[in-house]
PDB file of all heavy atoms in Angstrom:
ATOM      1  N   GLY A   5      91.220 191.978 179.099  1.00 97.00           N
ATOM      2  CA  GLY A   5      92.009 192.635 180.083  1.00 97.00           C
ATOM      3  C   GLY A   5      91.091 192.940 181.313  1.00 97.00           C
ATOM      4  O   GLY A   5      89.973 192.569 181.396  1.00 97.00           O
ATOM      5  N   HIS A   6      91.744 193.616 182.302  1.00 96.00           N
ATOM      6  CA  HIS A   6      91.036 193.912 183.513  1.00 96.00           C
ATOM      7  C   HIS A   6      90.429 195.282 183.485  1.00 96.00           C
ATOM      8  O   HIS A   6      91.068 196.352 183.736  1.00 96.00           O
ATOM      9  CB  HIS A   6      92.026 193.798 184.729  1.00 96.00           C
ATOM     10  CG  HIS A   6      92.554 192.352 184.846  1.00 96.00           C
ATOM     11  ND1 HIS A   6      91.839 191.311 185.261  1.00 96.00           N
ATOM     12  CD2 HIS A   6      93.778 191.976 184.648  1.00 96.00           C
ATOM     13  CE1 HIS A   6      92.592 190.245 185.389  1.00 96.00           C
ATOM     14  NE2 HIS A   6      93.786 190.569 184.991  1.00 96.00           N
ATOM     15  N   GLY A   7      89.089 195.342 183.171  1.00 92.00           N
ATOM     16  CA  GLY A   7      88.406 196.579 183.029  1.00 92.00           C
ATOM     17  C   GLY A   7      86.934 196.270 183.067  1.00 92.00           C
ATOM     18  O   GLY A   7      86.420 195.659 182.077  1.00 92.00           O
ATOM     19  N   ARG A   8      86.237 196.806 184.099  1.00 92.00           N
ATOM     20  CA  ARG A   8      84.768 196.529 184.146  1.00 92.00           C
ATOM     21  C   ARG A   8      84.058 197.644 183.370  1.00 92.00           C
ATOM     22  O   ARG A   8      83.456 198.574 183.913  1.00 92.00           O
ATOM     23  CB  ARG A   8      84.250 196.476 185.500  1.00 92.00           C
ATOM     24  CG  ARG A   8      84.843 195.244 186.334  1.00 92.00           C
ATOM     25  CD  ARG A   8      84.275 195.172 187.718  1.00 92.00           C
ATOM     26  NE  ARG A   8      84.779 194.062 188.424  1.00 92.00           N
ATOM     27  CZ  ARG A   8      84.388 192.788 188.326  1.00 92.00           C
ATOM     28  NH1 ARG A   8      83.333 192.525 187.470  1.00 92.00           N
ATOM     29  NH2 ARG A   8      84.916 191.794 189.000  1.00 92.00           N
ATOM     30  N   TRP A   9      84.109 197.568 182.010  1.00 94.00           N
ATOM     31  CA  TRP A   9      83.559 198.522 181.103  1.00 94.00           C
ATOM     32  C   TRP A   9      82.163 198.092 180.597  1.00 94.00           C
ATOM     33  O   TRP A   9      81.902 196.927 180.404  1.00 94.00           O
ATOM     34  CB  TRP A   9      84.441 198.766 179.936  1.00 94.00           C
ATOM     35  CG  TRP A   9      85.765 199.385 180.185  1.00 94.00           C
ATOM     36  CD1 TRP A   9      86.051 200.236 181.275  1.00 94.00           C
ATOM     37  CD2 TRP A   9      86.965 199.280 179.442  1.00 94.00           C
ATOM     38  NE1 TRP A   9      87.350 200.697 181.214  1.00 94.00           N
ATOM     39  CE2 TRP A   9      87.911 200.111 180.107  1.00 94.00           C
ATOM     40  CE3 TRP A   9      87.308 198.682 178.270  1.00 94.00           C
ATOM     41  CZ2 TRP A   9      89.287 200.233 179.635  1.00 94.00           C
ATOM     42  CZ3 TRP A   9      88.591 198.826 177.811  1.00 94.00           C
ATOM     43  CH2 TRP A   9      89.569 199.619 178.461  1.00 94.00           C
ATOM     44  N   THR A  10      81.366 199.109 180.475  1.00 93.00           N
ATOM     45  CA  THR A  10      80.089 198.884 179.727  1.00 93.00           C
ATOM     46  C   THR A  10      80.394 198.733 178.274  1.00 93.00           C
ATOM     47  O   THR A  10      81.454 199.060 177.824  1.00 93.00           O
ATOM     48  CB  THR A  10      79.076 200.028 179.895  1.00 93.00           C
ATOM     49  OG1 THR A  10      79.648 201.235 179.341  1.00 93.00           O
ATOM     50  CG2 THR A  10      78.816 200.331 181.433  1.00 93.00           C
ATOM     51  N   ALA A  11      79.407 198.268 177.478  1.00 92.00           N
ATOM     52  CA  ALA A  11      79.643 198.164 176.002  1.00 92.00           C
ATOM     53  C   ALA A  11      80.010 199.514 175.463  1.00 92.00           C
ATOM     54  O   ALA A  11      80.885 199.666 174.557  1.00 92.00           O
ATOM     55  CB  ALA A  11      78.406 197.581 175.347  1.00 92.00           C
ATOM     56  N   ASP A  12      79.391 200.631 175.893  1.00 94.00           N
ATOM     57  CA  ASP A  12      79.619 201.935 175.373  1.00 94.00           C
ATOM     58  C   ASP A  12      81.026 202.387 175.800  1.00 94.00           C
ATOM     59  O   ASP A  12      81.782 203.015 174.987  1.00 94.00           O
ATOM     60  CB  ASP A  12      78.656 202.975 175.919  1.00 94.00           C
ATOM     61  CG  ASP A  12      77.274 202.787 175.254  1.00 94.00           C
ATOM     62  OD1 ASP A  12      77.195 202.186 174.184  1.00 94.00           O
ATOM     63  OD2 ASP A  12      76.290 203.297 175.813  1.00 94.00           O
ATOM     64  N   GLU A  13      81.487 202.060 176.973  1.00 95.00           N
ATOM     65  CA  GLU A  13      82.790 202.477 177.477  1.00 95.00           C
ATOM     66  C   GLU A  13      83.840 201.668 176.644  1.00 95.00           C
ATOM     67  O   GLU A  13      84.923 202.231 176.370  1.00 95.00           O
ATOM     68  CB  GLU A  13      82.953 202.114 178.972  1.00 95.00           C
ATOM     69  CG  GLU A  13      82.169 203.139 179.819  1.00 95.00           C
ATOM     70  CD  GLU A  13      82.138 202.692 181.258  1.00 95.00           C
ATOM     71  OE1 GLU A  13      82.255 201.453 181.554  1.00 95.00           O
ATOM     72  OE2 GLU A  13      81.960 203.582 182.158  1.00 95.00           O
ATOM     73  N   ALA A  14      83.580 200.435 176.402  1.00 96.00           N
ATOM     74  CA  ALA A  14      84.574 199.622 175.603  1.00 96.00           C
ATOM     75  C   ALA A  14      84.691 200.154 174.178  1.00 96.00           C
ATOM     76  O   ALA A  14      85.779 200.272 173.693  1.00 96.00           O
ATOM     77  CB  ALA A  14      84.078 198.163 175.553  1.00 96.00           C
ATOM     78  N   ARG A  15      83.560 200.580 173.606  1.00 95.00           N
ATOM     79  CA  ARG A  15      83.623 201.148 172.276  1.00 95.00           C
ATOM     80  C   ARG A  15      84.373 202.497 172.265  1.00 95.00           C
ATOM     81  O   ARG A  15      85.157 202.709 171.326  1.00 95.00           O
ATOM     82  CB  ARG A  15      82.227 201.355 171.690  1.00 95.00           C
ATOM     83  CG  ARG A  15      81.599 200.090 171.104  1.00 95.00           C
ATOM     84  CD  ARG A  15      80.302 200.406 170.351  1.00 95.00           C
ATOM     85  NE  ARG A  15      79.247 200.874 171.228  1.00 95.00           N
ATOM     86  CZ  ARG A  15      78.392 200.093 171.810  1.00 95.00           C
ATOM     87  NH1 ARG A  15      78.492 198.791 171.672  1.00 95.00           N
ATOM     88  NH2 ARG A  15      77.407 200.618 172.514  1.00 95.00           N
ATOM     89  N   ALA A  16      84.192 203.238 173.275  1.00 95.00           N
ATOM     90  CA  ALA A  16      84.826 204.593 173.437  1.00 95.00           C
ATOM     91  C   ALA A  16      86.408 204.303 173.542  1.00 95.00           C
ATOM     92  O   ALA A  16      87.214 205.113 173.104  1.00 95.00           O
ATOM     93  CB  ALA A  16      84.352 205.346 174.602  1.00 95.00           C
ATOM     94  N   ALA A  17      86.757 203.154 174.183  1.00 95.00           N
ATOM     95  CA  ALA A  17      88.234 202.887 174.283  1.00 95.00           C
ATOM     96  C   ALA A  17      88.725 202.248 173.054  1.00 95.00           C
ATOM     97  O   ALA A  17      89.947 202.009 172.964  1.00 95.00           O
ATOM     98  CB  ALA A  17      88.388 201.890 175.507  1.00 95.00           C
ATOM     99  N   GLY A  18      87.954 201.906 172.047  1.00 96.00           N
ATOM    100  CA  GLY A  18      88.396 201.411 170.759  1.00 96.00           C
ATOM    101  C   GLY A  18      88.088 199.938 170.546  1.00 96.00           C
ATOM    102  O   GLY A  18      88.571 199.391 169.605  1.00 96.00           O
ATOM    103  N   TYR A  19      87.282 199.338 171.347  1.00 97.00           N
ATOM    104  CA  TYR A  19      86.920 197.884 171.270  1.00 97.00           C
ATOM    105  C   TYR A  19      85.614 197.576 170.708  1.00 97.00           C
ATOM    106  O   TYR A  19      84.538 198.154 171.183  1.00 97.00           O
ATOM    107  CB  TYR A  19      87.110 197.245 172.637  1.00 97.00           C
ATOM    108  CG  TYR A  19      88.589 197.298 173.132  1.00 97.00           C
ATOM    109  CD1 TYR A  19      88.963 198.178 174.091  1.00 97.00           C
ATOM    110  CD2 TYR A  19      89.453 196.381 172.642  1.00 97.00           C
ATOM    111  CE1 TYR A  19      90.284 198.288 174.513  1.00 97.00           C
ATOM    112  CE2 TYR A  19      90.835 196.433 173.015  1.00 97.00           C
ATOM    113  CZ  TYR A  19      91.195 197.321 174.005  1.00 97.00           C
ATOM    114  OH  TYR A  19      92.486 197.360 174.391  1.00 97.00           O
ATOM    115  N   ASP A  20      85.565 196.691 169.782  1.00 96.00           N
ATOM    116  CA  ASP A  20      84.280 196.181 169.247  1.00 96.00           C
ATOM    117  C   ASP A  20      83.722 195.068 170.154  1.00 96.00           C
ATOM    118  O   ASP A  20      82.534 194.871 170.231  1.00 96.00           O
ATOM    119  CB  ASP A  20      84.435 195.605 167.873  1.00 96.00           C
ATOM    120  CG  ASP A  20      84.960 196.654 166.870  1.00 96.00           C
ATOM    121  OD1 ASP A  20      84.111 197.569 166.493  1.00 96.00           O
ATOM    122  OD2 ASP A  20      86.099 196.685 166.478  1.00 96.00           O
ATOM    123  N   ARG A  21      84.609 194.420 170.895  1.00 96.00           N
ATOM    124  CA  ARG A  21      84.221 193.336 171.776  1.00 96.00           C
ATOM    125  C   ARG A  21      85.206 193.408 172.911  1.00 96.00           C
ATOM    126  O   ARG A  21      86.425 193.489 172.687  1.00 96.00           O
ATOM    127  CB  ARG A  21      84.273 191.985 171.037  1.00 96.00           C
ATOM    128  CG  ARG A  21      83.933 190.758 171.931  1.00 96.00           C
ATOM    129  CD  ARG A  21      84.013 189.490 171.043  1.00 96.00           C
ATOM    130  NE  ARG A  21      83.833 188.313 171.837  1.00 96.00           N
ATOM    131  CZ  ARG A  21      83.933 187.115 171.359  1.00 96.00           C
ATOM    132  NH1 ARG A  21      84.066 186.899 170.064  1.00 96.00           N
ATOM    133  NH2 ARG A  21      83.738 186.017 172.150  1.00 96.00           N
ATOM    134  N   TRP A  22      84.714 193.276 174.126  1.00 97.00           N
ATOM    135  CA  TRP A  22      85.560 193.446 175.363  1.00 97.00           C
ATOM    136  C   TRP A  22      85.273 192.257 176.306  1.00 97.00           C
ATOM    137  O   TRP A  22      84.084 191.948 176.574  1.00 97.00           O
ATOM    138  CB  TRP A  22      85.339 194.722 176.052  1.00 97.00           C
ATOM    139  CG  TRP A  22      86.125 194.790 177.308  1.00 97.00           C
ATOM    140  CD1 TRP A  22      85.646 194.810 178.600  1.00 97.00           C
ATOM    141  CD2 TRP A  22      87.553 195.018 177.391  1.00 97.00           C
ATOM    142  NE1 TRP A  22      86.651 194.937 179.532  1.00 97.00           N
ATOM    143  CE2 TRP A  22      87.814 195.047 178.779  1.00 97.00           C
ATOM    144  CE3 TRP A  22      88.559 195.132 176.501  1.00 97.00           C
ATOM    145  CZ2 TRP A  22      89.120 195.174 179.310  1.00 97.00           C
ATOM    146  CZ3 TRP A  22      89.839 195.293 177.019  1.00 97.00           C
ATOM    147  CH2 TRP A  22      90.176 195.257 178.330  1.00 97.00           C
ATOM    148  N   VAL A  23      86.343 191.648 176.820  1.00 96.00           N
ATOM    149  CA  VAL A  23      86.179 190.570 177.774  1.00 96.00           C
ATOM    150  C   VAL A  23      87.020 190.989 179.013  1.00 96.00           C
ATOM    151  O   VAL A  23      88.247 191.216 178.989  1.00 96.00           O
ATOM    152  CB  VAL A  23      86.715 189.217 177.267  1.00 96.00           C
ATOM    153  CG1 VAL A  23      86.616 188.136 178.341  1.00 96.00           C
ATOM    154  CG2 VAL A  23      85.998 188.870 176.019  1.00 96.00           C
ATOM    155  N   ASN A  24      86.341 191.135 180.206  1.00 97.00           N
ATOM    156  CA  ASN A  24      86.986 191.522 181.419  1.00 97.00           C
ATOM    157  C   ASN A  24      87.540 190.312 182.085  1.00 97.00           C
ATOM    158  O   ASN A  24      86.891 189.588 182.813  1.00 97.00           O
ATOM    159  CB  ASN A  24      85.955 192.236 182.328  1.00 97.00           C
ATOM    160  CG  ASN A  24      86.593 192.604 183.664  1.00 97.00           C
ATOM    161  OD1 ASN A  24      87.770 192.891 183.716  1.00 97.00           O
ATOM    162  ND2 ASN A  24      85.747 192.519 184.675  1.00 97.00           N
ATOM    163  N   ALA A  25      88.783 190.004 181.725  1.00 97.00           N
ATOM    164  CA  ALA A  25      89.450 188.785 182.306  1.00 97.00           C
ATOM    165  C   ALA A  25      90.954 188.899 181.968  1.00 97.00           C
ATOM    166  O   ALA A  25      91.391 189.617 181.085  1.00 97.00           O
ATOM    167  CB  ALA A  25      88.887 187.517 181.657  1.00 97.00           C
ATOM    168  N   GLY A  26      91.721 188.127 182.723  1.00 96.00           N
ATOM    169  CA  GLY A  26      93.106 187.930 182.504  1.00 96.00           C
ATOM    170  C   GLY A  26      93.360 186.912 181.395  1.00 96.00           C
ATOM    171  O   GLY A  26      92.407 186.318 180.841  1.00 96.00           O
ATOM    172  N   VAL A  27      94.659 186.727 181.047  1.00 98.00           N
ATOM    173  CA  VAL A  27      94.965 185.811 180.009  1.00 98.00           C
ATOM    174  C   VAL A  27      95.027 184.407 180.638  1.00 98.00           C
ATOM    175  O   VAL A  27      96.132 183.940 181.080  1.00 98.00           O
ATOM    176  CB  VAL A  27      96.341 186.165 179.357  1.00 98.00           C
ATOM    177  CG1 VAL A  27      96.623 185.173 178.152  1.00 98.00           C
ATOM    178  CG2 VAL A  27      96.328 187.543 178.795  1.00 98.00           C
ATOM    179  N   THR A  28      93.903 183.786 180.646  1.00 97.00           N
ATOM    180  CA  THR A  28      93.750 182.412 181.211  1.00 97.00           C
ATOM    181  C   THR A  28      93.161 181.471 180.116  1.00 97.00           C
ATOM    182  O   THR A  28      92.556 181.919 179.136  1.00 97.00           O
ATOM    183  CB  THR A  28      92.801 182.404 182.454  1.00 97.00           C
ATOM    184  OG1 THR A  28      91.446 182.700 182.026  1.00 97.00           O
ATOM    185  CG2 THR A  28      93.215 183.382 183.517  1.00 97.00           C
ATOM    186  N   ALA A  29      93.354 180.185 180.308  1.00 97.00           N
ATOM    187  CA  ALA A  29      92.891 179.253 179.352  1.00 97.00           C
ATOM    188  C   ALA A  29      91.339 179.356 179.261  1.00 97.00           C
ATOM    189  O   ALA A  29      90.808 179.303 178.179  1.00 97.00           O
ATOM    190  CB  ALA A  29      93.239 177.807 179.800  1.00 97.00           C
TER     191      ALA A  29
END
């Protein structure tokens, strides 16, 4: 999704792995 999160911010949001991008090929 669209979110420029640090690894710690992503974990705080509930994510083990985060990719800052839209749904593209």
Side-chain angles (χ1 to χ4, degrees):
H6 298 290
R8 295 185 179 279
W9 291 335
T10 66
D12 287 343
E13 288 170 334
R15 279 192 293 272
Y19 293 102
D20 297 288
R21 177 177 174 185
W22 176 252
V23 178
N24 176 32
V27 182
T28 65

